[in-house]
């Protein structure tokens, strides 16, 4: 379809990538973001090869490589520092044809924003969408400051706490608490924390602590521990909290806690979303976390938002039976893949965080038996299920 005007609500990974894929398709794009300054939740993010391929297709491959860490090896260790398995990621890179790039979220966000903003189209900040109306020809978005705009299509990329989701689905949708808390941040790579090309994951007692190399000589670190909903700890007490939770864990974990900057750390209760029955209402489609928020145990949430953007633009561009039909095809195409990944990530979260302690214990044993092939085949399967083979 030619000459569409597309309104995008939300300038996160999903909204900005959609802005870029849809502009490439030749459409006029308006992106509205409620905040003044886009502040992503979390310090780092691993863009697996399926996500990187979407960025490559937008001409951003060199830029993302510049901010990405070189992750060559993945290593599991027990909370007693026993090596459980150590896997080279090179077979994955060779099979799928692209490195994954763990990056700083702020740098990824700036990269996407810079790529989108040009002389005629820039993200409109401080623009909170508060409602939508549509008829058979147009869709109109209304904003908190009284502004309104109309277009042919509206993409709701307003994240896990999406307000537009209920409008699309037709009833209120509750998020599901995944029963654990995640702490994360960035720290300079230091030899006594871990190898600079290795993603290390310490597991034990239904908890985990991890460091992943990102660009500019930094680790993206994260911790996870099961916890009841509704806890909060101010930054100044976070090291104390982590010290207690990870007492007796290996020295690199202890040192990490000692050296991290708590004022630049995040503490998040992790939620996900049961697979939705519908993502589309007329000319309005959900995209990214608004459609399929997931626990981060497969590192695929942001990558799936990028895949959504790619498929959405392909369908709008190549299908000639109207916007509503193209959006429905997008929904059908994306629902199965993302639902499978959300449920797989949920199962993995339950296993990592000891929902059934016997299963978690079995998983620790299983990690010792797993061959490189088992792990790399599973990673390749997820990556190659995306739009670029
Ligand atoms: P968001 O990034 O949340 O963006 C939504 C945007 O919409 C925000 O900027 C918000 O301000 C704006 N907005 C909201 N409401 C309105 C409104 N009414 N009007 C205007 N604007 C609005 N994914 C990976 O691929 N790899 C990983 O390694 C990974 N690790 C993760 C670790 C953690 C701890 C967490 C929590 C998530 C992780 N994810 C990861 C998932 C990833 O962060 C998300 O899937 C991704 O950010 C979703 O992007 P999005 O654009 O859909 O939503």
């Amino acid at each position: 379809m030619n000459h569409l005007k597309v309104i995008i609500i939300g300038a996160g990974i999903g909204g900005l990538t959609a802005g870029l894929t849809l502009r490439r398709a030749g459409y006029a794009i308006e992106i509205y973001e409620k905040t003044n300054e886009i502040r992503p939740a979390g310090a780092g993010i691993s863009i697996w090869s399926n996500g990187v391929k979407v960025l490559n297709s937008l001409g951003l491959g060199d830029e993302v490589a510049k901010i990405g860490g070189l992750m060559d090896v993945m290593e599991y260790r027990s909370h007693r520092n026993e090596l459980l398995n150590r896997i080279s990621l090179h077979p994955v890179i060779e099979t799928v044809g692209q490195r994954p790039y763990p990056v700083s979220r702020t740098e990824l966000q700036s990269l996407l924003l810079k790529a989108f903003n040009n002389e005629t189209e820039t993200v409109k900040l401080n623009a909170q969408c508060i409602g939508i109306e549509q008829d058979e020809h147009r869709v109109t978005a209304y904003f908190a400051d009284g502004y309104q705009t109309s277009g042919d299509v509206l993409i709701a990329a307003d994240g896990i706490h999406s307000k537009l989701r209920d409008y699309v689905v037709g009833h209120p949708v509750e998020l599901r608490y995944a029963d654990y808390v995640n702490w994360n941040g960035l720290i300079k790579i230091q030899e006594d924390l871990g190898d600079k090309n290795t993603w290390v994951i310490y597991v034990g007692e239904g908890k985990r602590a991890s460091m992943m190399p990102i660009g500019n000589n930094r680790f993206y670190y994260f911790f996870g521990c099961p916890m009841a909903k509704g806890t909060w700890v101010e930054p100044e007490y976070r090291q104390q909290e982590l010290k207690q939770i990870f007492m007796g864990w290996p020295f690199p974990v202890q040192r990490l806690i000692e050296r991290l900057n708590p004022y630049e750390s995040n503490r998040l209760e992790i939620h996900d979303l049961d697979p939705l029955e519908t993502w589309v209402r007329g000319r309005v489609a959900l995209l990214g976390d608004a459609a399929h928020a997931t626990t981060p145990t497969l590192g695929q949430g942001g990558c799936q938002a990028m895949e959504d953007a790619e498929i959405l633009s392909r369908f709008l561009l190549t299908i000639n039976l109207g916007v509503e039909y193209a959006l429905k095809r997008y929904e059908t195409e994306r629902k199965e893949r993302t639902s499978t990944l959300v449920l797989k990530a949920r199962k993995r979260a339950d296993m990592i965080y000891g929902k059934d302690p016997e299963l978690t214990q079995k998983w620790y044993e299983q990690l010792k038996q797993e061959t490189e092939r088992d792990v790399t085949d599973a990673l390749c399967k997820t990556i190659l299920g995306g739009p670029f083979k």
Side-chain angles (χ1 to χ4, degrees):
M1 276 166 289
N2 295 325
H3 310 304
L4 296 177
K5 175 176 161 191
V6 184
I7 299 165
I8 298 176
I9 306 298
I13 296 172
L16 287 171
T17 312
L20 291 165
T21 58
L22 291 162
R23 178 193 285 156
R24 184 187 53 193
Y27 303 141
I29 315 294
E30 289 178 0
I31 304 186
Y32 295 90
E33 165 57 46
K34 75 173 177 189
T35 57
N36 249 334
E37 191 193 351
I38 305 164
R39 281 173 182 271
I45 182 168
S46 173
I47 318 175
W48 285 94
S49 315
N50 49 321
V52 178
K53 286 180 181 180
V54 176
L55 298 177
N56 288 345
S57 77
L58 291 164
L60 299 173
D62 289 347
E63 298 292 310
V64 75
K66 270 188 217 151
I67 62 168
L70 293 186
M71 185 166 73
D72 295 318
V73 174
M74 183 177 151
E75 189 176 281
Y76 269 96
R77 291 184 167 271
S78 78
H79 68 306
R80 300 281 173 241
N81 214 7
E82 181 192 358
L83 181 65
L84 302 175
N85 71 33
R86 183 178 160 82
I87 281 156
S88 164
L89 288 171
H90 283 274
V92 177
I93 298 168
E94 275 146 34
T95 305
V96 306
Q98 174 59 57
R99 257 186 185 281
Y101 282 122
V103 297
S104 138
R105 274 181 188 261
T106 315
E107 287 168 10
L108 174 65
Q109 199 74 28
S110 316
L111 185 160
L112 293 171
L113 196 61
K114 212 170 115 209
F116 180 78
N117 283 344
N118 63 21
E119 275 162 25
T120 50
E121 289 173 337
T122 55
V123 172
K124 318 250 181 319
L125 297 173
N126 220 352
Q128 183 185 5
C129 177
I130 51 165
I132 315 171
E133 270 178 10
Q134 60 179 317
D135 58 28
E136 63 271 36
H137 305 294
R138 304 291 281 166
V139 52
T140 303
Y142 297 93
F143 293 85
D145 62 0
Y147 179 74
Q148 66 182 68
T149 186
S150 297
D152 301 293
V153 183
L154 185 141
I155 306 304
D158 54 341
I160 185 167
H161 301 290
S162 169
K163 292 280 185 290
L164 303 183
R165 185 190 291 134
D166 293 357
Y167 167 84
V168 171
V169 177
H171 57 79
V173 179
E174 295 285 321
L175 289 172
R176 189 199 69 105
Y177 180 45
D179 294 319
Y180 75 96
V181 169
N182 168 292
W183 298 255
N184 64 68
L186 304 182
I187 193 163
K188 200 168 158 285
I189 292 183
Q190 296 151 64
E191 260 176 34
D192 59 358
L193 289 180
D195 290 341
K196 66 175 193 305
N197 67 342
T198 302
W199 173 23
V200 63
I201 307 144
Y202 293 89
V203 291
E205 305 172 321
K207 307 172 216 170
R208 73 172 170 172
S210 182
M211 282 173 273
M212 187 183 246
I214 65 162
N216 212 358
N217 201 38
R218 291 161 298 172
F219 281 129
Y220 160 45
Y221 68 78
F222 54 90
F223 300 91
C225 175
M227 218 169 264
K229 194 170 162 60
T231 63
W232 177 249
V233 171
E234 291 298 336
E236 65 248 54
Y237 303 115
R238 283 194 194 151
Q239 279 161 299
Q240 204 176 310
E241 180 188 31
L242 287 167
K243 271 185 196 166
Q244 263 169 17
I245 294 172
F246 293 95
M247 195 182 285
W249 280 49
F251 287 122
V253 176
Q254 305 290 341
R255 284 187 203 111
L256 169 63
I257 297 171
E258 203 66 59
R259 294 177 195 167
L260 63 82
N261 181 346
Y263 299 96
E264 288 176 9
S265 71
N266 302 289
R267 186 188 189 281
L268 305 167
E269 290 186 334
I270 299 297
H271 291 80
D272 70 3
L273 198 58
D274 284 327
L276 297 177
E277 64 268 33
T278 178
W279 291 22
V280 170
R281 178 166 169 184
R283 299 174 165 271
V284 180
L286 301 174
L287 182 144
D289 276 11
H292 47 73
T294 174
T295 54
T297 49
L298 296 176
Q300 276 290 337
C303 298
Q304 292 308 303
M306 292 177 187
E307 288 189 7
D308 289 349
E310 171 62 30
I311 296 294
L312 177 71
S313 77
R314 276 190 203 175
F315 281 10
L316 281 172
L317 188 65
T318 57
I319 286 175
N320 218 1
L321 292 179
V323 162
E324 300 190 10
Y325 180 87
L327 294 185
K328 271 289 172 198
R329 287 287 303 275
Y330 151 78
E331 173 192 278
T332 309
E333 175 80 10
R334 295 298 299 152
K335 246 168 55 175
E336 191 183 330
R337 172 152 168 85
T338 54
S339 302
T340 305
L341 289 173
V342 167
L343 296 177
K344 199 168 157 196
R346 184 182 286 185
K347 207 165 152 196
R348 196 167 171 80
D350 289 350
M351 194 165 62
I352 294 169
Y353 295 110
K355 200 151 249 182
D356 175 345
E358 234 175 78
L359 269 186
T360 302
Q361 201 51 48
K362 250 197 211 155
W363 176 59
Y364 296 151
E365 292 305 317
Q366 196 188 316
L367 281 173
K368 290 189 219 168
Q369 325 283 314
E370 266 178 353
T371 63
E372 181 163 292
R373 192 70 198 266
D374 294 334
V375 178
T376 55
D377 280 359
L379 287 169
C380 290
K381 194 171 163 218
T382 301
I383 292 166
L384 292 173
F388 293 107
K389 303 301 171 204

